[in-house]
Amino acid sequence: MKVILKQNVESLGKAGDLVKVADGYARNFLVPKGLAAEANSRNLKAFEHEKNRILLQAEKVQKQAEETAARLSKVTCTIARRVGEQQKLFGSVGAKDIEEALVAQGVEVDKKSVVLDEPIKALGEFPVRIKISAGVTAEIKVVVVAES
């Protein structure tokens, strides 16, 4: 039996794939759980329409993400920290600190989207990537200065 997958199924494929499976597997598992629909002409037409709608939505989200990335790339974030002898920081600057500084500037960013290989442990200017969506990242400047 041929079915159209409505969701990603690990052993079969991704949502939208047309796959051939055993009749019992389709009738007893895939269709009742809402993972697939039988591939008849009516379902194929409905799926094509739905696929076009999803593609348009994804394109719109991608465009918004690129605009956000362009806006974020112009942002410079300044964080003041206490320093000891020889200009060494007490502690470090992490993703949460960067998120809080961005929110204070009016830029809404989730701390999970801040990509840091390791926390910043020195004074200076550092490039930090912000992951906006799949495949779209922006780079901001984070300036760590001594607290006065």
Side-chain angles (χ1 to χ4, degrees):
M1 173 185 282
K2 287 190 176 184
V3 294
I4 303 167
L5 295 179
K6 291 181 177 179
Q7 297 178 15
N8 294 345
V9 178
E10 195 168 317
S11 60
L12 291 177
K14 297 180 180 177
D17 290 350
L18 181 66
V19 294
K20 186 172 182 171
V21 296
D23 292 351
Y25 185 51
R27 274 195 307 268
N28 298 326
F29 183 74
L30 293 175
V31 174
K33 294 224 182 232
L35 299 174
E38 187 179 348
N40 57 26
S41 61
R42 189 183 87 206
N43 286 344
L44 283 171
K45 286 180 184 175
F47 175 72
E48 285 301 318
H49 176 70
E50 184 71 16
K51 189 176 182 180
N52 290 336
R53 189 183 65 74
I54 290 170
L55 287 175
L56 288 174
Q57 180 70 21
E59 189 176 305
K60 184 178 177 184
V61 167
Q62 181 75 10
K63 188 180 273 188
Q64 271 185 329
E66 289 171 358
E67 289 173 3
T68 304
R71 209 172 58 237
L72 269 177
S73 64
K74 299 173 186 167
V75 171
T76 300
C77 177
T78 305
I79 299 174
R81 284 285 184 257
R82 286 185 1 176
V83 292
E85 295 177 17
Q86 302 164 355
Q87 299 297 312
K88 285 193 124 187
L89 285 180
F90 287 120
S92 62
V93 176
K96 185 165 177 53
D97 300 316
I98 294 170
E99 178 222 1
E100 289 171 355
L102 288 173
V103 168
Q105 289 183 359
V107 179
E108 289 295 322
V109 172
D110 185 30
K111 80 173 186 179
K112 294 176 186 169
S113 64
V114 176
V115 180
L116 275 178
D117 296 331
E118 55 188 43
I120 300 170
K121 298 179 181 180
L123 294 178
E125 188 175 297
F126 303 91
V128 175
R129 289 185 325 213
I130 307 291
K131 183 178 180 185
I132 298 165
S133 71
V136 179
T137 60
E139 195 167 282
I140 65 168
K141 268 193 273 182
V142 175
V143 180
V144 181
V145 297
E147 198 173 72
S148 40

mmCIF file of all heavy atoms in Angstrom, residues 5-17 35:
data_model
loop_
_atom_site.group_PDB
_atom_site.id
_atom_site.type_symbol
_atom_site.label_atom_id
_atom_site.label_comp_id
_atom_site.label_asym_id
_atom_site.label_seq_id
_atom_site.Cartn_x
_atom_site.Cartn_y
_atom_site.Cartn_z
ATOM 1 N N LEU A 5 3.344 10.273 4.070
ATOM 2 C CA LEU A 5 3.704 10.508 5.463
ATOM 3 C C LEU A 5 3.315 11.929 5.869
ATOM 4 O O LEU A 5 3.626 12.893 5.179
ATOM 5 C CB LEU A 5 5.206 10.301 5.667
ATOM 6 C CG LEU A 5 5.716 8.891 5.444
ATOM 7 C CD1 LEU A 5 7.221 8.851 5.646
ATOM 8 C CD2 LEU A 5 5.041 7.902 6.367
ATOM 9 N N LYS A 6 2.602 12.026 6.993
ATOM 10 C CA LYS A 6 2.203 13.327 7.522
ATOM 11 C C LYS A 6 3.243 13.875 8.486
ATOM 12 O O LYS A 6 3.312 15.074 8.713
ATOM 13 C CB LYS A 6 0.872 13.219 8.262
ATOM 14 C CG LYS A 6 -0.313 12.936 7.373
ATOM 15 C CD LYS A 6 -1.573 12.888 8.213
ATOM 16 C CE LYS A 6 -2.800 12.680 7.369
ATOM 17 N NZ LYS A 6 -4.007 12.604 8.208
ATOM 18 N N GLN A 7 4.027 12.970 9.076
ATOM 19 C CA GLN A 7 5.074 13.353 10.013
ATOM 20 C C GLN A 7 6.321 12.552 9.691
ATOM 21 O O GLN A 7 6.256 11.557 8.975
ATOM 22 C CB GLN A 7 4.655 13.057 11.454
ATOM 23 C CG GLN A 7 3.452 13.831 11.923
ATOM 24 C CD GLN A 7 3.070 13.432 13.341
ATOM 25 O OE1 GLN A 7 3.833 12.808 14.043
ATOM 26 N NE2 GLN A 7 1.864 13.808 13.746
ATOM 27 N N ASN A 8 7.446 12.976 10.233
ATOM 28 C CA ASN A 8 8.675 12.210 10.048
ATOM 29 C C ASN A 8 8.555 10.887 10.792
ATOM 30 O O ASN A 8 8.196 10.863 11.963
ATOM 31 C CB ASN A 8 9.880 12.975 10.579
ATOM 32 C CG ASN A 8 10.165 14.225 9.785
ATOM 33 O OD1 ASN A 8 9.650 14.402 8.688
ATOM 34 N ND2 ASN A 8 10.987 15.085 10.331
ATOM 35 N N VAL A 9 8.831 9.787 10.083
ATOM 36 C CA VAL A 9 8.846 8.459 10.684
ATOM 37 C C VAL A 9 10.268 7.940 10.487
ATOM 38 O O VAL A 9 10.744 7.832 9.350
ATOM 39 C CB VAL A 9 7.816 7.516 10.037
ATOM 40 C CG1 VAL A 9 7.890 6.124 10.662
ATOM 41 C CG2 VAL A 9 6.413 8.080 10.166
ATOM 42 N N GLU A 10 10.935 7.630 11.587
ATOM 43 C CA GLU A 10 12.364 7.337 11.545
ATOM 44 C C GLU A 10 12.738 6.236 10.562
ATOM 45 O O GLU A 10 13.685 6.361 9.807
ATOM 46 C CB GLU A 10 12.849 6.964 12.944
ATOM 47 C CG GLU A 10 14.345 6.991 13.074
ATOM 48 C CD GLU A 10 14.770 6.913 14.517
ATOM 49 O OE1 GLU A 10 14.164 7.595 15.358
ATOM 50 O OE2 GLU A 10 15.724 6.171 14.786
ATOM 51 N N SER A 11 11.995 5.171 10.515
ATOM 52 C CA SER A 11 12.376 4.053 9.654
ATOM 53 C C SER A 11 11.880 4.195 8.217
ATOM 54 O O SER A 11 12.298 3.435 7.348
ATOM 55 C CB SER A 11 11.850 2.747 10.248
ATOM 56 O OG SER A 11 10.435 2.811 10.342
ATOM 57 N N LEU A 12 10.988 5.182 7.961
ATOM 58 C CA LEU A 12 10.402 5.307 6.622
ATOM 59 C C LEU A 12 10.861 6.534 5.843
ATOM 60 O O LEU A 12 11.233 6.439 4.684
ATOM 61 C CB LEU A 12 8.876 5.332 6.716
ATOM 62 C CG LEU A 12 8.200 4.039 7.129
ATOM 63 C CD1 LEU A 12 6.705 4.251 7.234
ATOM 64 C CD2 LEU A 12 8.518 2.944 6.150
ATOM 65 N N GLY A 13 10.773 7.697 6.443
ATOM 66 C CA GLY A 13 11.137 8.905 5.722
ATOM 67 C C GLY A 13 10.605 10.148 6.405
ATOM 68 O O GLY A 13 10.128 10.107 7.532
ATOM 69 N N LYS A 14 10.662 11.254 5.659
ATOM 70 C CA LYS A 14 10.250 12.552 6.184
ATOM 71 C C LYS A 14 8.804 12.841 5.822
ATOM 72 O O LYS A 14 8.231 12.206 4.947
ATOM 73 C CB LYS A 14 11.145 13.648 5.603
ATOM 74 C CG LYS A 14 12.590 13.513 5.994
ATOM 75 C CD LYS A 14 13.388 14.627 5.387
ATOM 76 C CE LYS A 14 14.852 14.469 5.786
ATOM 77 N NZ LYS A 14 15.689 15.476 5.171
ATOM 78 N N ALA A 15 8.244 13.829 6.484
ATOM 79 C CA ALA A 15 6.877 14.250 6.205
ATOM 80 C C ALA A 15 6.790 14.666 4.739
ATOM 81 O O ALA A 15 7.639 15.377 4.232
ATOM 82 C CB ALA A 15 6.482 15.398 7.110
ATOM 83 N N GLY A 16 5.749 14.179 4.067
ATOM 84 C CA GLY A 16 5.549 14.519 2.667
ATOM 85 C C GLY A 16 6.029 13.461 1.708
ATOM 86 O O GLY A 16 5.723 13.520 0.522
ATOM 87 N N ASP A 17 6.778 12.491 2.188
ATOM 88 C CA ASP A 17 7.264 11.427 1.311
ATOM 89 C C ASP A 17 6.138 10.460 0.963
ATOM 90 O O ASP A 17 5.256 10.196 1.776
ATOM 91 C CB ASP A 17 8.399 10.641 1.971
ATOM 92 C CG ASP A 17 9.683 11.438 2.093
ATOM 93 O OD1 ASP A 17 9.754 12.515 1.496
ATOM 94 O OD2 ASP A 17 10.599 10.954 2.783
ATOM 95 N N LEU A 35 0.129 9.285 11.464
ATOM 96 C CA LEU A 35 1.458 9.455 10.883
ATOM 97 C C LEU A 35 1.427 9.452 9.361
ATOM 98 O O LEU A 35 2.355 9.936 8.728
ATOM 99 C CB LEU A 35 2.396 8.345 11.367
ATOM 100 C CG LEU A 35 2.626 8.278 12.884
ATOM 101 C CD1 LEU A 35 3.452 7.057 13.239
ATOM 102 C CD2 LEU A 35 3.299 9.543 13.365
#
